[in-house]
Amino acid sequence: MLELPDYQLRQRDYLIRISQAITAQLDLPGVLSLVVRYAVEIVAGNYGFIALHEESDDELRIAVANNIAPEQYAEFKPLLRVLGTPGATAKERARAVLRIADRLHLPLRQMVSLPLLLRGDPIGVIVVFRAAVNVAFTLDDQALIEAFANQAAVAVQNARLYQAAVQEQQRLNAIIEQSADGVMILDWRWRITSFNRAMEHLTGWPREEAIGRPCAEVLGIHNDQNINICLTACPLQRLPRMANPTVEGRITTRDGRERYISSRYSPTYGSDDEFLGAIANVRDITAQILEDQQQATFISVISHELKTPVAIIKGYASTLSRTDANWDIATVRDGLNVIEEESDRLNELIGNLLDVSRLQAGGLRLRFGPVDLPALSERIVQAIAATTPTHFEFQLRFPSGFPPVHADEERLRMVLSNLLSNAVKYSPEGGVIRLGGWAEADEAIVYVSDQGVGIAPEDQPRIFDRFYRVDNSLGRQTQGAGLGLYLARAIVEAHGGKLWVESQPGRGSRFIFTLPLELRSLPVETAAPPLLEQE
């Protein structure tokens, strides 16, 4: 046995080491193993364990042990049940220990146990066994073990607090990572410390490159005057302070895309009003901005498209109704023809607007039936050719025996008329316009090609959008509200088909769409013509 001063010094040394371990690490099993090993050693024990109440069912389970193998833990369940039962007697505890000693062939002849208390609530128990029978546990021994129990309780509390903090951090990280909006966190120097997946997609910056860089470098929001707002008018530096400052503008992504964003900041300030950091919620508003631009264009175009025929109708009607003029029959007929043409134009525009409204409301109805596509195409071409300058040549290229398609004839007429009218409008030098098709499997493939100005690659993805018109001199001079191709694609897709374009600037365009065949017959053997046929 150690002399009393040495014994006390060793006890103090053990407690200091445990305290240092608790302070230095948050590995709960490691700290508890240290506690039970020192507790067994300081009171000259042979075996020991620490059991904790499980949060799920409040049962005691061994967390760590000294000189007891993990595979032997199950044999201690009866003792743990007794220890966890308030009011259990010493005799009950002794019987449980004897049964364990007998089953495991361990000399468990004396036992001392003390609860681990956290703010008065039991969270577990520390147990030490001796093999000797001639040296009983004293009150001093119990006091020593109680000191170790208190250290163990502190370790458990620290570990649980740390685990809760880690879980909360993981939960917040998961929320940020899975957010549909971009989220980034800035430090007091306006440098990025967190950057979620949506921000990577939105900006084109990989997070490992974005983190640590200034926000102004990565985001770089520009206004309509192409001034970097982040550098010249950062909302986080604006006075007076705003609770949630927001800025909108245009960014150019790392991979060259142009996007419009809205960035809302939640800043944090210190006691001296110094900036400590901020969370930025960044939303892609490109679609909204483009929609607003399209709506503005639509209002402008529709205003013009409505005013022009109305002005012409009013002008001719006023002229023909003059009482001081005596118009001959030919003049009256010509004036009435113009009024009729402009009325038809107005009616077509209003019909397109109604169709757009029906599409948006999901109410575009189709009346399906067998349609002779070559015959319908011929009628439409004859009607358009009659009002087209003579420097155009129209060619129909359908093979004989072309099977009927399953379609709404009137809606299909709209599609073909629109594509042919566009071919005429965007071929100012004239040329050959071809309308043809072939059957393939159970669908018809139809095309309209021209030798006009063509469509730039950057415009091709957007020409089927509502109200979109190509921004060039010919497009600005050409009548139209930017609804024709939008309606054409919607009608084709309502038939279960697809509509797309192949084009090269200066070499013409070919619009191609598919339709289901009425008869699921064998395909007609024809080949698709090249994009730009030269004859």
Side-chain angles (χ1 to χ4, degrees):
M1 293 288 293
L2 294 171
E3 296 297 329
L4 184 59
D6 292 338
Y7 185 69
Q8 291 174 338
L9 286 172
R10 191 168 183 182
Q11 172 195 349
R12 187 183 66 180
D13 181 56
Y14 282 170
L15 292 175
I16 290 173
R17 289 186 194 178
I18 292 169
S19 298
Q20 290 173 339
I22 292 173
T23 305
Q25 63 178 331
L26 289 164
D27 173 29
L28 183 60
V31 175
L32 293 183
S33 294
L34 194 65
V35 170
V36 72
R37 179 164 66 87
Y38 286 167
V40 168
E41 185 175 332
I42 199 69
V43 297
N46 301 98
Y47 309 94
F49 64 78
I50 293 177
L52 300 177
H53 285 285
E54 293 292 330
E55 294 182 3
S56 57
D57 53 18
D58 202 38
E59 286 191 10
L60 280 170
R61 289 185 175 83
I62 296 178
V64 295
N66 183 251
N67 294 330
I68 299 173
E71 58 269 19
Q72 296 174 319
Y73 288 178
E75 299 295 337
F76 286 84
K77 283 184 178 180
L79 174 60
L80 293 175
R81 280 195 290 270
V82 172
L83 294 175
T85 303
T89 65
K91 186 178 291 186
E92 289 174 317
R93 291 197 294 270
R95 279 201 298 265
V97 172
L98 286 173
R99 282 195 293 268
I100 297 169
D102 184 58
R103 291 177 64 89
L104 296 179
H105 306 290
L106 292 176
L108 309 178
R109 295 187 173 87
Q110 293 187 57
M111 180 189 80
V112 62
S113 66
L114 285 170
L116 309 184
L117 298 177
L118 188 61
R119 293 188 295 272
D121 295 325
I123 61 171
V125 63
I126 181 169
V127 178
V128 176
F129 299 96
R130 276 181 182 166
V133 294
N134 58 341
V135 183
F137 283 113
T138 66
L139 292 177
D140 288 339
D141 291 334
Q142 293 190 35
L144 282 173
I145 295 174
E146 184 176 0
F148 284 95
N150 291 338
Q151 294 291 328
V154 171
V156 172
Q157 172 68 353
N158 286 354
R160 286 180 175 175
L161 289 174
Y162 174 73
Q163 185 62 30
V166 168
Q167 290 175 349
E168 182 64 17
Q169 182 65 45
Q170 290 173 342
R171 189 180 71 86
L172 290 175
N173 288 343
I175 291 173
I176 290 173
E177 184 63 18
Q178 298 302 322
S179 172
D181 291 339
V183 179
M184 64 178 178
I185 300 176
L186 311 178
D187 65 13
W188 62 277
R189 299 176 301 162
W190 289 275
R191 292 184 180 273
I192 298 169
T193 62
S194 181
F195 202 76
N196 74 345
R197 183 168 52 193
M199 282 298 295
E200 287 185 303
H201 176 74
L202 183 60
T203 65
W205 280 81
R207 77 182 67 191
E208 59 270 14
E209 295 186 34
I211 290 176
R213 293 179 182 268
C215 170
E217 179 184 351
V218 174
L219 208 55
I221 305 173
H222 287 68
N223 60 15
D224 292 337
Q225 290 75 44
N226 203 32
I227 297 173
N228 190 329
I229 302 171
C230 297
L231 292 176
T232 59
C234 175
L236 295 174
Q237 302 181 46
R238 196 177 299 153
L239 294 175
R241 303 278 194 206
M242 299 175 62
N244 295 106
T246 303
V247 62
E248 293 184 358
R250 173 180 48 81
I251 66 170
T252 301
T253 68
R254 189 86 178 277
D255 47 2
R257 293 173 292 128
E258 192 170 272
R259 313 300 295 169
Y260 290 91
I261 65 163
S262 173
S263 185
R264 181 174 182 173
Y265 301 89
S266 298
T268 303
Y269 299 99
S271 56
D272 295 330
D273 203 34
E274 73 275 21
F275 177 72
L276 300 179
I279 297 177
N281 187 275
V282 185
R283 177 165 295 180
D284 187 345
I285 59 170
T286 305
Q288 175 187 331
I289 295 295
L290 294 179
E291 179 74 14
D292 291 344
Q293 291 176 349
Q294 287 182 354
Q295 292 286 6
T297 302
F298 164 72
I299 293 172
S300 173
V301 171
I302 289 299
S303 298
H304 177 266
E305 292 293 315
L306 287 173
K307 283 181 179 179
T308 301
V310 168
I312 293 174
I313 291 170
K314 180 176 175 58
Y316 272 90
S318 298
T319 300
L320 293 177
S321 63
R322 284 175 54 182
T323 57
D324 60 339
N326 185 20
W327 307 111
D328 58 66
I329 295 298
T331 301
V332 172
R333 186 178 294 111
D334 288 343
L336 292 175
N337 285 339
V338 171
I339 291 174
E340 183 177 11
E341 289 173 359
E342 294 302 320
S343 298
D344 289 340
R345 179 177 160 193
L346 266 178
N347 187 57
E348 180 183 1
L349 178 59
I350 292 170
N352 284 343
L353 291 173
L354 289 173
D355 284 338
V356 168
S357 297
R358 292 190 189 103
L359 277 172
Q360 291 177 316
L364 185 64
R365 296 182 179 178
L366 301 177
R367 296 179 175 84
F368 287 95
V371 178
D372 185 342
L373 189 56
L376 175 63
S377 299
E378 185 174 3
R379 294 195 297 272
I380 295 172
V381 165
Q382 288 175 351
I384 291 178
T387 59
T388 302
T390 56
H391 59 283
F392 281 96
E393 178 187 348
F394 291 88
Q395 296 180 359
L396 285 173
R397 294 197 168 184
F398 289 97
S400 59
F402 193 90
V405 295
H406 184 63
D408 181 320
E409 184 166 342
E410 286 307 309
R411 296 295 183 184
L412 188 52
R413 182 191 300 276
M414 288 175 58
V415 173
L416 292 173
S417 296
N418 178 273
L419 296 179
L420 287 167
S421 297
N422 280 353
V424 171
K425 284 193 288 187
Y426 292 99
S427 301
E429 304 300 323
V432 179
I433 294 176
R434 298 183 177 89
L435 170 55
W438 65 94
E440 192 173 282
D442 59 353
E443 65 180 7
I445 300 174
V446 187
Y447 67 91
V448 175
S449 67
D450 62 60
Q451 298 173 332
V453 296
I455 304 167
E458 62 271 18
D459 288 316
Q460 292 180 25
R462 298 189 57 198
I463 59 172
F464 297 101
D465 293 345
R466 283 179 301 153
F467 318 130
Y468 183 78
R469 306 190 74 210
V470 176
D471 187 20
N472 56 33
S473 58
L474 182 58
R476 288 188 289 271
Q477 296 168 10
T478 304
Q479 295 178 350
L483 294 174
L485 289 177
Y486 169 76
L487 286 170
R489 172 173 274 186
I491 291 169
V492 168
E493 289 178 348
H495 281 78
K498 296 181 295 183
L499 171 62
W500 68 96
V501 65
E502 297 172 352
S503 183
Q504 296 178 20
R507 298 192 61 198
S509 303
R510 180 166 73 163
F511 287 84
I512 308 165
F513 63 92
T514 62
L515 291 170
L517 292 176
E518 177 70 17
L519 302 175
R520 301 295 191 252
S521 57
L522 293 175
V524 178
E525 294 298 332
T526 58
L531 170 60
L532 301 170
E533 299 178 76
Q534 300 294 331
E535 296 186 354

